């Protein structure tokens, strides 16, 4: 066996372990809020409490960058992510076990601790991928397709696992299954190949300084605002799916098929990136793919029938899968080595925040006109793509 084939097999094995770790961690992260809400509502407690405790595990994602510096300063970043996975699972398990017997503030505090570590299970794990995928841009971008798939699987399988286990046993059992999954993810993380720190700990900037560097560096700035605006925009799709079924001549239950089509499209996009990795400059790719996402949202608005709407939702999912892969490429290729982990977590945390804001706004303004949220999303995404193009051309002319 040649040295090259041995290296390829080693990298393939490491990538498989990465996919398993990332899928388990992101399944837990995606399903936890559903488990919490089901636990509270099936206990007969008020809906506002379910929403408040659900927010306790989602809102702290925004603070994730303030614990992410350890990824760039640690001698072994695997240990940081593995510890975060175990603590995330332990605090989630403690919260649901104590909920029936303790004051609501106790599980709330535990859920906040769990949510604070969530970004290390999402963007934090992604920061380990460049060291696994190999040196070539093609291998890096093919691996990013796998990473997109783990996000899609986690976001889909997590709530599905919670629903299935809750129906079979109870929401408490479902939450404990998710907690066990994060502990298993920690084991797979520790089986990944170690990578030395990219810089001396003294050279790693603080979180606020990292954000300042991202905002002042053209490609990273464009990565940040394009990621946030596209996340804000596509977050309107589930709300629109529910509200538009009457216009499409179907009942409200059919909205599930539309959102499922979007999810499957997202997974198909990640498979497309694996089969044929993205080529070209990541900065330009993000801009073009953001514009493609805007076009697919136009197709959703204009779809005259349920079957065409389903196809439009699937196409939007495919476009977003490709766009997400381009943002992962940009984070990897433009982030300074001494702050790569923080760049991944900052972008992921702000993406989640933007998505939550998009869902909330869509639910608020959808009353007067079913397609108003998507019209706003199309305008914002198009404007962001144009701003990105203008920025890049201006920078090129100055040079």
């Amino acid at each position: 066996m040649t040295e090259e084939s041995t290296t390829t097999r080693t990298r393939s094995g490491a990538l498989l372990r990465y996919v398993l770790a990332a899928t388990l961690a992101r399944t837990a992260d995606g399903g936890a809020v559903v488990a919490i809400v089901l636990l509270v509502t099936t206990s007969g407690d008020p809906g506002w409490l379910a929403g408040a405790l659900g927010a306790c595990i989602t809102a702290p994602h925004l603070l994730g960058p303030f614990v992410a510096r350890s990824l760039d300063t640690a001698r072994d970043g695997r240990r940081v992510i593995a510890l975060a996975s175990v603590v995330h699972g332990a605090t989630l398990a403690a919260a649901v076990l104590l909920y029936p017997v303790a004051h609501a503030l106790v599980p709330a505090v535990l859920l906040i601790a769990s949510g604070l570590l969530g970004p290390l299970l999402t963007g934090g794990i992604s920061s380990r991928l460049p060291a696994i995928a190999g040196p070539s841009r093609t291998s890096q971008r093919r691996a990013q397709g796998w990473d997109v798939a783990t996000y899609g699987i986690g976001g889909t399988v997590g709530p599905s696992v919670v629903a299935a286990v809750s129906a079979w046993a109870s929401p408490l059992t479902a939450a404990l299954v998710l907690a066990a999954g994060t502990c298993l993810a920690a084991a797979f993380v520790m089986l990944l190949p170690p990578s030395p720190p990219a810089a001396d700990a003294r050279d790693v900037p603080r979180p606020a300084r990292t954000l300042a560097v991202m905002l002042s560096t053209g490609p990273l700035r464009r990565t940040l605002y394009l990621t946030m605006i596209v996340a804000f925009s596509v977050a309107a799709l589930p709300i629109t799916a529910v509200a538009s079924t009457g216009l499409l001549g179907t009942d409200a239950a059919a909205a599930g098929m539309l959102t499922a089509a979007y999810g499957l499209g997202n997974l198909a996009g990640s498979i497309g990136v694996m089969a044929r990795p993205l080529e070209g400059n990541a900065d330009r790719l993000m801009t073009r793919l953001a514009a493609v996402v805007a076009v697919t949202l136009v197709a959703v608005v204009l779809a005259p029938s349920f079957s065409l709407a389903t196809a439009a939702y699937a196409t939007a999912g495919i476009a977003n899968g490709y766009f997400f892969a381009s943002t992962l490429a940009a984070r990897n290729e433009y982030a300074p080595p001494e702050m790569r982990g923080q760049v991944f977590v900052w972008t992921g945390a702000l993406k989640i925040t933007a998505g939550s804001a998009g869902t909330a706004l869509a639910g608020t303004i959808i009353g007067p006109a079913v397609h108003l949220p998507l019209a706003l999303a199309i305008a914002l995404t198009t404007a962001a793509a144009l701003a990105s193009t203008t920025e890049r051309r201006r920078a090129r002319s100055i040079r």
Side-chain angles (χ1 to χ4, degrees), residues 4-22 129 131-134 146 187-193:
E4 182 179 352
S5 62
T6 301
T7 302
T8 301
R9 287 188 62 183
T10 300
R11 286 178 180 154
S12 297
L15 182 59
L16 175 59
R17 293 191 292 275
Y18 174 88
V19 169
L20 291 171
L129 188 59
I132 297 171
W146 281 103
F188 281 114
V189 166
M190 291 307 299
L191 292 175
L192 298 176

Side-chain angles (χ1 to χ4, degrees), residues 236-260:
L237 286 171
I239 304 294
T240 303
V242 174
S244 64
T245 51
L247 295 177
L248 296 172
T250 60
D251 55 44
M257 294 183 63
L258 295 177
T259 54

Side-chain angles (χ1 to χ4, degrees), residues 94-121:
V96 297
L97 288 171
L98 290 174
Y99 175 74
V101 297
H103 190 279
L105 285 177
V106 175
V109 171
L110 290 166
L111 290 173
I112 289 171
S114 186
L116 186 62
L117 297 171
L120 294 180
L121 275 62

